[in-house]
Amino acid sequence: MKTALFLAIVLISGALAGTIHGVANLVLVESYLDTAIGIENQHLFASGEENDTPEFKAQFDSYRYWQKSGQVLAGAILGTSIGALVGIVYAYSRNSLPGRTDLKKTFTLAAIMWLTIYFIPFLKYPANPPTVGDPETVVLRSILYLSFIAISGFGAVGFYQLYKKLQSRKKIIAFVGYAIFISMVFVVMPPNPDEISAPMDLVNGFRAMSVVAVSIFWVSLAAILGVFWHKFRPDSQIKLEKH
């Protein structure tokens, strides 16, 4: 393995995919955030915690501008870290992934990771806009969500090891085993502690666009990593010329 080339490929792939994700968030998700935060501000005004003044609006607009302007950069940073993780997993599992080309292999891996560490945890603990959730439960919600991701991810790794040891006709056992395992975890894990008080059309729209934006990231990462890996071959051995 050409270490420097490998690192360059996975980090650049992650940064590019993360940048695309940041742009997707700006286009698809930010309008729902604006609506949700607007509702949250109205609650603050009604409770007397804040006053609906030009000063508050100017401060709020400045804060939201800062948030939105950092969206793409934050996506690139997060994408770089995830790209490193996916690159390491791909390097170790490449030979056992189905598909004849690196592009097919990276898409297979991305689909597995999207399902196990994003979509299944999302089904249990779906994303909510800012107006949903008690600030006092944010730590508990984070622990539950991250715990589910860890359980699902490590479970997938364990059943992948089983998959490699089974004969071709019996490999389906690994998939069935993971499905049973994660279904049990889904039932046992406690529910989200917060009730939804925001309009459901806002919540459902936010969740749907969040799924689309994250899916765009995984598709982009699979495509970019697959193309780069095929072109630069970081796993190829350096051949010494004979004189």
Side-chain angles (χ1 to χ4, degrees), residues 32 49 59 61 68 91 93 107 110 160 162 164 177 181 187 223:
Y32 292 94
E49 295 181 44
Q59 186 177 9
D61 289 342
K68 292 179 181 181
S93 62
F107 267 99
Y160 169 70
L162 176 63
K164 291 195 299 182
F181 165 76
V187 173

Side-chain angles (χ1 to χ4, degrees), residues 79-98:
T80 301
S81 61
I82 296 177
L85 172 63
V86 174
I88 293 172
V89 175
Y90 183 67
Y92 279 102
S93 62
R94 179 179 177 275
N95 292 334
S96 58
L97 287 170

